[in-house]
Amino acid sequence: MTTARGTAGGGRARYTYRVRVSSTAAVALEAQWARCRWVWNECCARSKKAYAEGESCGPARLDKMLTEARARLVWLREGSSVPQQQVVRDFATSRAKALKDIKGRLPVRQRAGMPKYKKKDRADPSLNYTQRGFRIIGGRLHLAGGIVLTVVWSRELPGPPSSVRVYRDSIGRWYASFVVATTTEHLPETGAVIGIDWGVKETATTTSDDHDLAHAEHGKKAAKRLAHYQRMMARRRAPCGKAQSKGYRWAQKQAAKVHKKVVRQRQDTARKWARRVVRDHDALAVEDFRPKFLAKSTMARKAADAAIGATKTALVEMGRKHGRAVHLVHPAHTTMDCARCGARTKHALPLSTRTYTCTACGAVSPRDKNSAHVMLVRAGLNPAGADRVRADGPPVRSRREPGILRH
């Protein structure tokens, strides 16, 4: 399997490949992960001790701790220092984010939380290597410490990778995720623009009927099989404090496979649709919708199955990859404004009302279609829509100019 995802740097992408691991390499990777897990847990302990004593615990202090530990422990020194140093960096980043949220007085439910201990039976292996810690020789991945892995090259890398993360998922499969600097692959201009509104009955409603994305219901189709394995787990669950049986672990693995398949189906549907939308349009006005609140509503299960967040991410990344202008429109009042004249209803429309009727100009259209056209108007991509469109709407973010808000 290969995936390409845009990263925060904008000019880099992540390419993930399956890895075939021999028994010898598996033992070496497990041993390396045991050392990295020990380093992480030691960082947690040092951080808590520093907090109790009123001292600082920054990356420099943790680096010193790692140096002293490698000089003292032969077992730790037998492993490569590259992934261990990356563990310290990751811990420092995670702790800094948690402290920033606390200092910013964010609600507890929105905070990242302080780093916690990684337990042996719950944390899956994940090893990060910088450029000096790995080599690709003869199509095989050579990691620091003499570990050699066979990569399934389903697609060529577009350039030399700057780092790689080797990890194992919940099913037990190993992957290698490379970070590669990429260039924009410009597509031919079409002169067309599109507005996109997210929903639950239909995952995406657009101003073009040919590009609407219906709810695929991948999770609903797999619910019967998933419930079967979950019942098996419930029947075979061992009492607290006792090891789980072989039958329980088998059922747990089968349930994880079902979850994994659903995730991949959602990603595949989202990427294929995003590629088609980006190919046919020069500019996209996308609702900057945050579906998190739907998890507490009666539509939680259906909203999760729609995978709005994953679809939106795939669309933004595909637009960035091909140099299309992607405008993120604030979702406030998009269901209350008229796309033709800009008039706003006095009260929010209930979800049961699926037709929007403007009391000012008399325009009648499906509710989601009207919202999709409002996206175009707010992004400035449909100036001929009406003369009375509100000019004081929420700001619009453009992915071509990060950090700049456009009204």
Side-chain angles (χ1 to χ4, degrees):
M1 181 193 70
T2 310
T3 59
R5 296 189 57 189
T7 58
R12 290 180 292 178
R14 189 177 295 276
Y15 290 79
T16 305
Y17 301 84
R18 281 287 301 274
V19 174
R20 293 196 175 100
V21 181
S22 63
S23 57
T24 304
V27 172
L29 288 173
E30 290 283 358
Q32 188 66 274
W33 168 240
R35 299 183 183 95
C36 291
R37 192 174 60 84
W38 183 90
V39 172
W40 177 277
N41 292 339
E42 190 68 13
C43 289
C44 290
R46 293 296 179 93
S47 175
K48 291 185 177 182
K49 182 180 178 181
Y51 177 78
E53 297 175 353
E55 300 178 356
S56 62
C57 186
R61 182 170 181 175
L62 296 177
D63 282 336
K64 184 178 179 182
M65 178 273 297
L66 177 60
T67 303
E68 294 174 352
R70 285 181 61 85
R72 186 178 69 256
L73 301 174
V74 178
W75 166 77
L76 189 63
R77 195 165 57 248
E78 288 177 351
S80 172
S81 63
V82 176
Q84 297 173 17
Q85 290 173 345
Q86 293 305 307
V87 166
V88 173
R89 300 290 186 275
D90 294 341
F91 178 87
T93 303
S94 179
R95 185 174 184 271
K97 177 63 169 63
L99 293 176
K100 181 180 178 181
D101 292 347
I102 295 174
K103 187 176 180 180
R105 297 181 179 274
L106 288 179
V108 177
R109 66 180 182 276
Q110 296 181 7
R111 296 179 186 176
M114 295 296 290
K116 298 180 180 179
Y117 292 101
K118 293 184 182 293
K119 297 184 179 180
K120 181 179 180 180
D121 57 340
R122 294 187 179 181
D124 291 319
S126 178
L127 305 171
N128 294 319
Y129 292 85
T130 56
Q131 200 166 15
R132 66 187 182 92
F134 73 96
R135 294 289 185 275
I136 299 177
I137 304 175
R140 306 183 75 186
L141 178 61
H142 294 250
L143 302 176
I147 304 175
V148 182
L149 305 176
T150 301
V151 182
V152 181
W153 298 107
S154 54
R155 178 170 54 174
E156 293 185 1
L157 286 172
S162 59
S163 63
V164 64
R165 182 170 74 96
V166 179
Y167 65 95
R168 190 182 66 193
D169 64 3
S170 58
I171 306 176
R173 297 170 180 170
W174 288 89
Y175 297 88
S177 183
F178 298 90
V179 176
V180 183
T182 59
T183 57
T184 304
E185 303 174 6
H186 292 281
L187 294 174
E189 294 187 2
T190 62
V193 296
I194 190 172
I196 301 171
D197 176 75
W198 305 111
V200 176
K201 187 175 181 180
E202 284 193 348
T203 303
T205 303
T206 69
T207 53
S208 171
D209 294 337
D210 296 334
H211 294 83
D212 290 346
L213 178 61
H215 195 313
E217 297 184 343
H218 295 301
K220 184 178 180 180
K221 296 173 184 176
K224 188 175 180 179
R225 289 184 58 213
L226 182 61
H228 171 69
Y229 293 124
Q230 288 176 339
R231 285 195 297 268
M232 292 177 65
M233 292 171 57
R235 290 195 298 266
R236 302 175 182 185
R237 187 183 299 276
C240 184
K242 292 187 177 181
Q244 300 294 343
S245 65
K246 183 178 179 181
Y248 176 88
R249 294 195 302 271
W250 179 86
Q252 186 181 39
K253 186 175 181 180
Q254 297 304 314
K257 284 184 177 181
V258 175
H259 278 296
K260 190 78 172 179
K261 181 178 180 180
V262 171
V263 170
R264 287 177 173 171
Q265 286 176 327
R266 290 170 179 166
Q267 291 177 345
D268 182 68
T269 300
R271 288 170 184 157
K272 288 179 179 177
W273 174 78
R275 187 180 297 111
R276 189 161 57 92
V277 171
V278 170
R279 181 194 60 201
D280 297 341
H281 301 89
D282 293 341
L284 293 75
V286 183
E287 181 184 10
D288 194 10
F289 184 64
R290 310 295 172 88
K292 202 171 188 180
F293 76 95
L294 289 174
K296 299 181 180 180
S297 67
T298 57
M299 300 182 295
R301 178 174 296 181
K302 190 168 185 179
D305 196 11
I308 299 174
T311 307
K312 173 188 166 186
T313 300
L315 183 64
V316 172
E317 290 174 354
M318 194 67 65
R320 177 187 300 174
K321 176 182 178 182
H322 295 290
R324 299 302 200 191
V326 180
H327 304 271
L328 298 180
V329 181
H330 197 281
H333 309 299
T334 52
T335 59
M336 299 171 63
D337 290 355
C338 176
R340 178 181 295 179
C341 67
R344 180 173 297 173
T345 59
K346 295 182 179 180
H347 305 285
L349 299 179
L351 289 176
S352 57
T353 303
R354 305 313 304 170
T355 302
Y356 180 88
T357 303
C358 180
T359 57
C361 66
V364 179
S365 64
R367 171 180 176 148
D368 294 336
K369 287 290 183 181
N370 177 76
S371 298
H373 283 281
V374 171
M375 304 299 166
L376 282 179
V377 174
R378 289 192 180 180
L381 302 178
N382 189 24
D387 297 332
R388 295 168 54 195
V389 172
R390 292 174 179 265
D392 56 348
V396 179
R397 290 189 295 159
S398 175
R399 300 301 297 185
R400 281 187 173 177
E401 300 173 326
I404 298 179
L405 298 179
R406 295 176 48 191
H407 288 275

